[in-house]
Amino acid sequence: QPDYSDVVSAHPSIMAIETRTSEDKGYAVEMQVVTVEPAGLSTDHSKKARLLLDFGEHGREYISPELGLQLLKTLANPDMIRAVVGGGDRGERLVKMLQHVVFKILPLEN
């Protein structure tokens, strides 16, 4: 399982990680949730698109968590975001669009 905390701690202005706990009928679960806001972390998400991405539904699936880690690295770097769509005007539009998005990423569900 990849370690998301290094990427998150390297970008504290746009990323945060928290552990959420839930219990139902004696079954308890703890999940890490990574929040990514390319425009900068805020508390008001009412005017932003919100995406929930689950990259590790099963603990023995390594590809999905690795893709989630790569997404975090990409979102942390505007040049990488631009490169995803080939740069130029399309890249600039994508960077601007992501300023209005909040990502909630579940690195590993169980």
Side-chain angles (χ1 to χ4, degrees):
Q1 166 185 338
D3 187 5
Y4 287 64
S5 60
D6 290 342
V7 176
V8 173
S9 63
H11 302 92
S13 64
I14 64 166
M15 296 183 186
I17 192 167
E18 63 184 299
T19 301
R20 300 249 176 128
T21 304
S22 183
E23 187 175 332
D24 184 34
K25 298 178 185 172
Y27 175 76
V29 64
E30 281 189 353
M31 265 191 290
Q32 286 189 327
V33 179
V34 178
T35 300
V36 182
E37 281 189 81
L41 293 175
S42 68
T43 56
D44 182 13
H45 303 151
S46 63
K47 296 184 180 185
K48 292 187 176 185
R50 295 169 291 253
L51 298 173
L52 175 64
L53 303 172
D54 184 349
F55 282 102
E57 189 170 335
H58 302 290
R60 294 184 186 251
E61 295 174 350
Y62 296 109
I63 298 299
S64 293
E66 287 292 337
L67 287 174
L69 180 60
Q70 185 59 43
L71 176 63
L72 283 181
K73 291 176 180 179
T74 301
L75 290 172
N77 184 335
D79 290 333
M80 288 179 71
I81 293 170
R82 289 180 192 93
V84 167
V85 294
D89 290 340
R90 290 178 64 193
E92 289 306 317
R93 284 195 307 264
L94 180 58
V95 168
K96 287 179 183 176
M97 180 184 72
L98 291 177
Q99 300 299 301
H100 305 283
V101 178
V102 176
F103 295 86
K104 294 287 186 174
I105 297 174
L106 305 177
L108 189 62
E109 195 175 312
N110 63 16

